Amino acid sequence: MKNTASGWKVITDWLTARDRQPFAFQEEAWTYYLQGKSGLVNAPTGYGKTFSLFLGVVIDWINRHPKDYHSKTKNGLQLLWITPLRALAKDIARAMEEVLQELNIPWQVGIRSGDTPVSTRAAQKKNMPEVLLITPESLHLLIGQKEYPKVFTSLTTVVADEWHELLGTKRGVMIELGLSRLKGLAKKEGRSPLRIWGISATIGNLGEAMDVLLGTPDPEAVIVRAKLDKKIELQSILPDEIEKYPWAGHLGTRLLYKALPIVNESKTTLIFTNVRSQTEIWYQEILRQCPDLAGALALHHGSIDMELRIWVEEALHTGTLKAVVCTSSLDLGVDFRPVDTVIQVGSPKGVARFLQRAGRSGHQPGATSKIWFLPTHSLELVEAAALKSAIAQQIVESRMPVILAYDVLLQYLMTLAISDGFHAPEIWEEVKDTFCFRDMTEDEWEWTLAFLTTGGDALYSYDEFKKIDREGNFFICRSRMQAMRHRLHIGVIVSDAMLKVKFMGGGFIGMIEEWFIARMTAGDTFSLGGRILEFVMIKDMTVLVRKSNAKKAIVPSWMGGRLPLSPNLGKVLRETFNEALSGNTTEPELQVLQPLFNLQEYLSHVPKADELLIEMIHTRDGYHLFAYPFEGRLVNEVMATLLAYRLSKRTPITFSIAMNDYGFELLSDQPIPLTPDDVYELFSLDHLSIDLQASVNSTEMARRKFRDIAVIAGLIFQGYPGKHKQSRHLQSSASLLFNVFTEYDSQNLLLRQAFNEAFFYQMEEARLRESLDRIYNSKIVITYPEELTPFCFPIKVDSLREQLTSEKLEDRIKKMRPEF
DNA sequence: GACCTGCTGCGGCTTG
């Protein structure tokens, strides 16, 4: 190590004066950084991951300017810090500014994101701050400006913060592409290579995460791991009488009375729920049961007005709130020190997410993170036991990197075309050096260029798809109109059309989806942001409401994502059943569930880790087949479809299908042709692709995936900001393009991408193969219970829900449920 | 293409 003496001394003196000692991993990161290396830092939240790198940059600076590092000169951009959240950028900027001020280093820290004022942007353009915090989208907007290379001429370091969050998303691909350009610029201008660092929480594939970030394999690159034992304590909220706790359901309010004392005894509690409507319901219900909390309780989710959310976040900082009910909107980022308790309502679906949420409490070094698990139905308690075991074994999910996202590439090339234009060979070198596009062929590259210049085989007669001009190997967009439209569409997050909800007298409350409000008439009441509102009218694409004193109100629902149970959690879950039946378990969750397991074993069977249970039940409704792969709803659904198809090849028979994260149901009005001898072939991998093609409507799946792809690739103009465009217009233009490509341009890469995404994300094909293989090689146990079992019950209730009104449903459930 | 469970995230308005 050379030339590090003075910087080290300044920093260590500074830390010592504050009675602070750096963690070993921080020093390690600085050391590697000073050696000019790139890499990845992995540490739990709350341990100063930010400083592990930032102080390295500062030490380096002092070393390079041993005498005059205090002097005020314009140094240009040194450090680019990419964060996925605007709020995070603000937090980090504040922390960095403090450090710089204390060390008397006259650096500027700037933020570049969507809410950066125009005046600030202009000032930045003239004089870039030394440190710039930026979102992936804003980085691309920067690259979309004239003479953008000037911005980066002095850049030495890029940090990708919360890289685990972006890896595996198209926003991550944006970072890969942005980095490829910055690296290319450095090389072209003969500067020393950029130092690129990722900061990541623990995930299963840290090594791969680093490879994706760095693109080109770098044998010198290092992973710095904080060897810190973050203590996590998980405790379940148990029903007093398991016999009376529902076998099915998703709300969990039945156990609220047991959560309230926990809230009251804590300083501040975060209550995580899985869906937005659930936060609304929980908020109302908490206030009903505990009116004292009025004013000290808040709710937070993605469809609540930003101002209100910021207020809630501030109040969390200052510790003025007793509890906040939220969705994963509070998963990330901002550290709320007063939070000492976390309650997870329902299945967290994955180990990593659970750890992330647990980490929102005890957010300082050495502190224990305490999390309570509140099951929404009986069987979910097994997940708590499984989570404990997963945490003990440190089984954390991997994030699969996105591969060959042609839509993002098309958008990126357009971005380059609207700034200074690009030389194709130069950019191709850079692009195929990224992880995402390393398997792209030259033909495919030529296709993307041709698509942008001519519109491809299907669209060549429409001028609006001839976006850029080709001048030899140089590509540039000369149309100001196209350039402006493109700037409006940079980014890869495609949202559904939502309507703003606003009081008659002004004041925004949040967002509601079109279809939900469409069924309301004036005078109807609904709840949002914890308030009961009366619908008045829709004006200028805004829902106008007034306050209501009504006691009953409809809770809105949003069409959100449907995260399936993760493979890891599924696996540990299956293993946990072994322990459950052993009879000598020490886990309270499993002890409490003993009567339920006994009943399940009495009526049918409790499957062990190396078994698949199939229950064949005959009821008034018909002939049921229930199976429990515990592979998450997506895989369960495809498996059900596959089984239905393979069974129908034996005898003509039709089924209706239902599924949840644990298993699936096939229901028919005639006996299902299945015996212990011929059951295995149903799960065989032989002819899998052919059978899938015959049974699953992959074209329809691909069509749905195609909408986002077409928007990202810039084929669909979504309208000007603030101007509402109905989502069905979006849907229909995407559908139209899908048809046109299918018919006239079947080699279209975007079309291929749509099918790949359908197979990969919708059918989880890789996971399906693995689980079929597992089942084929395990023991399949078939039972013939006389009545519905605790295992099949939740699936049955879910499938009934689709057909009946809620009162009828309740009656039906009562009738279905056997006595203990 | 949507509802009785169904997440999160960002960005933009070229002009008299």
Side-chain angles (χ1 to χ4, degrees), chain A residues 742-753:
Chain A
T742 309
E743 196 166 340
Y744 301 105
D745 188 7
S746 55
Q747 296 308 302
N748 190 300
L749 290 183
L750 298 176
L751 204 57
R752 196 205 294 173
Q753 188 186 344

Side-chain angles (χ1 to χ4, degrees), chain A residues 9-47:
Chain A
K9 191 162 170 7
V10 173
I11 297 293
T12 41
D13 287 354
W14 172 69
L15 285 168
T16 323
R18 271 151 200 82
D19 229 6
R20 275 165 64 178
Q21 235 201 325
F23 292 108
F25 85 92
Q26 292 179 313
E27 275 192 29
E28 205 185 324
W30 301 340
T31 311
Y32 286 130
Y33 177 85
L34 292 174
Q35 291 169 358
K37 292 185 177 174
S38 295
L40 194 72
V41 177
N42 162 240
T45 48
Y47 282 81

Side-chain angles (χ1 to χ4, degrees), chain A residues 719-732:
Chain A
Y720 290 95
K723 297 248 169 45
H724 181 75
K725 194 168 182 180
Q726 281 198 339
S727 50
R728 67 164 171 273
H729 291 168
L730 209 68
Q731 187 66 33
S732 65

Side-chain angles (χ1 to χ4, degrees), chain A residues 314-334:
Chain A
E314 283 301 317
L316 271 173
H317 269 298
T318 51
T320 49
L321 286 173
K322 193 79 184 150
V324 178
V325 193
C326 59
T327 59
S328 38
S329 54
L330 286 186
D331 265 3
L332 253 198
V334 197

Side-chain angles (χ1 to χ4, degrees), chain A residues 618 621-624 651-655 666-673:
Chain A
H618 184 198
D621 294 332
Y623 298 87
H624 310 257
T651 340
I653 183 172
T654 54
F655 296 99
L666 299 180
L667 171 63
S668 178
D669 54 4
Q670 46 176 307
I672 298 172

Side-chain angles (χ1 to χ4, degrees), chain A residues 637-696:
Chain A
E637 181 175 10
V638 180
M639 210 185 278
T641 315
L642 180 72
L643 244 63
Y645 172 74
R646 288 179 170 177
L647 283 167
S648 72
K649 284 213 299 195
R650 293 181 179 172
T651 340
I653 183 172
T654 54
F655 296 99
S656 62
I657 291 172
M659 85 302 289
N660 66 13
D661 274 325
Y662 296 170
F664 60 84
E665 175 202 19
L666 299 180
L667 171 63
S668 178
D669 54 4
Q670 46 176 307
I672 298 172
L674 181 78
T675 68
D677 296 326
D678 60 21
V679 65
Y680 285 90
E681 65 195 50
L682 292 177
F683 295 92
S684 159
L685 284 172
D686 294 344
H687 315 296
L688 178 63
S689 301
I690 300 168
D691 289 354
L692 277 182
Q693 225 153 43
S695 55
V696 177

